[in-house]
Amino acid sequence: MADEKKTIFSGMQPSGYITLGNYLGALRNWTKLQDEYNCLYCIVDMHAITVRQDPVKLRQQARKLLIQYIASGLDPEKNIIYYQSHVPQHAELGWVLNCFTYMGELNRMTQFKEKSAKHTDNINAGLFTYPVLMAADILLYQADLVPVGEDQRQHLEITRDIATRFNSIYGDVFTIPEAYIGKVGARVMALQDPTKKMSKSDENKNNSIALLDEPGVIMSKIKKAVTDSDNEVRHGEDKPGVTNLLNIYCAVTDKTMEEAEREFAGSNYGQFKTAVGEAVVASLEPIQAKAKELEQNKDYIDSIIKNNAERAQRIANRTLTKVHRKIGFPDRIR
Ligand code: TYM
């Protein structure tokens, strides 16, 4: 019988230790989708090198990320969890798609503009064509849905444009994917500057909470978070710091904004921050415990890395072979 389940693809860069933003914006939603869909969750190490990385750290971060995927609740038997660099089909399709993407389209990407402004000494071609590799990731597996945070919306749009362009020339080769962006937690902001997003590569570590931060560190970062001077716990554009903390609180407790505001009516910022900190700690505790346990289990993690890369390659090859045929590459002689 044909498999009726739809396919999900998503990924994270191992360019640092993942944050509460990555968890609430993406990873947590992934765990909710694993029963209904065929899911692939990638560790996009090839994307990470568009910014200079320390090789030792990159390797450690990639393994830690894989462990955190599983510790957060992704079942490696149900989902295909793997390293992008172990599946060369990503780069191969990426090259083909480069030839179907316009410079003008890539020039409009806000992430490229932001990252090239931040790394003026290393504006490399990979940073520019980053969205093309991302399109290849998604299209290789004929993904229907891509669960991401708000900041990736533009990359999903260009993926759809590239796929539609290719299909209009060669027929229905690619499934056109949809973004899946959650209602809460889709944009967690930096704690010290709530006008910019929380980011794992932020140099100011007080801006972000890492998934594996110790409880004391989490409490202290939240207590130091920027708020405002009026001491009223409510959300609003005029209160980005308090709004961000309220959003985090709602996301980790599954409460609505109204419920949260009612709960903190009359509380001062000190009491409010303590409650937010405690709620974050409580939600991350089971993940941290599981991650510690998995780190001890080297053979188990290694077997996941090996088996899942093979599973991913088998699916990826189907699409790549079709693409090669369509564009006129000679058949391989077997
Ligand atoms: P990355 O590694 O920056 O982030 C991983 C996921 O976390 C989400 N996210 C956030 N959500 C809420 N608030 C935040 N402050 C926040 N920061 C990050 C991101 O939206 C993302 O879902 N280009 C991607 C990686 C990628 C990918 C893909 C994703 C490569 N290929 C294919 C999906 C499909 C990235 O840089 O994510």
Side-chain angles (χ1 to χ4, degrees):
M1 207 182 94
D3 187 351
E4 300 291 326
K5 281 187 184 173
K6 291 192 166 186
T7 299
I8 283 195
F9 182 94
S10 201
M12 289 194 188
Q13 296 189 68
S15 49
Y17 292 127
I18 55 165
T19 69
L20 190 63
N22 300 128
Y23 177 65
L24 297 177
L27 186 48
R28 201 173 64 133
N29 293 332
W30 301 356
T31 62
K32 295 179 186 161
L33 298 164
Q34 59 186 333
D35 293 321
E36 265 176 82
Y37 296 86
N38 290 322
C39 305
L40 296 110
Y41 294 117
C42 190
I43 287 129
V44 294
D45 45 2
M46 287 158 63
H47 277 107
I49 62 159
T50 54
V51 169
R52 210 62 82 220
Q53 303 287 342
D54 175 304
V56 174
K57 279 197 192 150
L58 182 62
R59 201 170 289 122
Q60 276 169 357
Q61 286 162 192
R63 193 171 174 100
K64 272 235 153 102
L65 183 51
L66 185 127
I67 286 175
Q68 287 175 81
Y69 278 7
I70 302 170
S72 299
L74 291 182
D75 179 343
E77 305 291 331
K78 274 193 205 149
N79 307 281
I80 302 185
I81 298 173
Y82 69 102
Y83 296 133
Q84 188 184 31
S85 62
H86 287 190
V87 181
Q89 289 83 355
H90 288 247
E92 290 182 68
L93 183 61
W95 173 256
V96 173
L97 297 182
N98 264 318
C99 304
F100 292 85
T101 308
Y102 298 118
M103 303 282 283
E105 287 178 301
L106 293 174
N107 252 327
R108 286 197 291 274
M109 296 292 113
T110 47
Q111 186 172 299
F112 172 69
K113 288 183 203 161
E114 280 167 20
K115 286 203 177 170
S116 48
K118 199 169 160 199
H119 303 277
T120 44
D121 55 337
N122 182 21
I123 306 177
N124 60 72
L127 194 62
F128 189 61
T129 60
Y130 178 113
V132 184
L133 181 59
M134 182 159 160
D137 299 340
I138 297 167
L139 301 178
L140 256 185
Y141 302 97
Q142 308 290 354
D144 298 282
L145 216 56
V146 184
V148 283
E150 184 60 48
D151 62 322
Q152 296 300 314
R153 192 186 283 282
Q154 200 183 28
H155 288 162
L156 254 295
E157 273 158 23
I158 194 174
T159 299
R160 289 166 59 87
D161 290 344
I162 297 169
T164 306
R165 181 171 308 136
F166 195 93
N167 283 356
S168 73
I169 305 172
Y170 299 105
D172 277 344
V173 176
F174 296 125
T175 302
I176 310 296
E178 303 258 354
Y180 172 102
I181 298 174
K183 285 198 183 65
V184 279
R187 196 165 172 82
V188 178
M189 309 309 279
L191 297 176
Q192 294 297 315
D193 178 0
T195 59
K196 66 172 198 183
K197 72 167 184 177
M198 183 181 283
S199 160
K200 58 175 117 65
S201 51
D202 202 316
E203 267 146 37
N204 180 353
K205 291 299 161 210
N206 282 328
N207 264 332
S208 63
I209 292 172
L211 218 57
L212 300 182
D213 271 349
E214 298 282 339
V217 174
I218 297 176
M219 292 303 292
S220 121
K221 285 181 178 175
I222 289 183
K223 286 200 172 140
K224 280 188 218 144
V226 164
T227 46
D228 51 51
S229 55
D230 75 5
N231 232 359
E232 189 190 352
V233 183
R234 64 164 172 85
H235 79 287
E237 272 176 31
D238 54 330
K239 296 170 77 74
V242 173
T243 303
N244 189 35
L245 293 177
L246 274 167
N247 277 330
I248 292 174
Y249 184 75
C250 291
V252 297
T253 57
D254 278 329
K255 289 183 181 163
T256 64
M257 186 56 84
E258 293 69 40
E259 284 169 340
E261 284 179 337
R262 223 175 301 130
E263 191 177 332
F264 295 114
S267 301
N268 61 34
Y269 284 169
Q271 293 160 326
F272 168 56
K273 285 176 167 178
T274 302
V276 176
E278 284 171 355
V280 171
V281 167
S283 76
L284 298 187
E285 240 164 16
I287 300 175
Q288 299 186 345
K290 181 83 185 154
K292 276 205 184 105
E293 189 189 310
L294 288 166
E295 267 166 32
Q296 306 307 317
N297 210 338
K298 183 177 179 305
D299 293 347
Y300 172 65
I301 298 296
D302 286 349
S303 74
I304 288 166
I305 292 171
K306 180 169 182 294
N307 297 339
N308 280 333
E310 286 167 3
R311 286 164 74 198
Q313 285 201 32
R314 276 197 291 278
I315 307 172
N317 253 332
R318 290 207 282 271
T319 303
L320 195 64
T321 304
K322 197 167 174 188
V323 167
H324 283 181
R325 286 239 170 83
K326 291 282 185 185
I327 54 182
F329 289 169
D331 285 340
R332 296 199 187 172
I333 313 289
R334 297 192 191 274

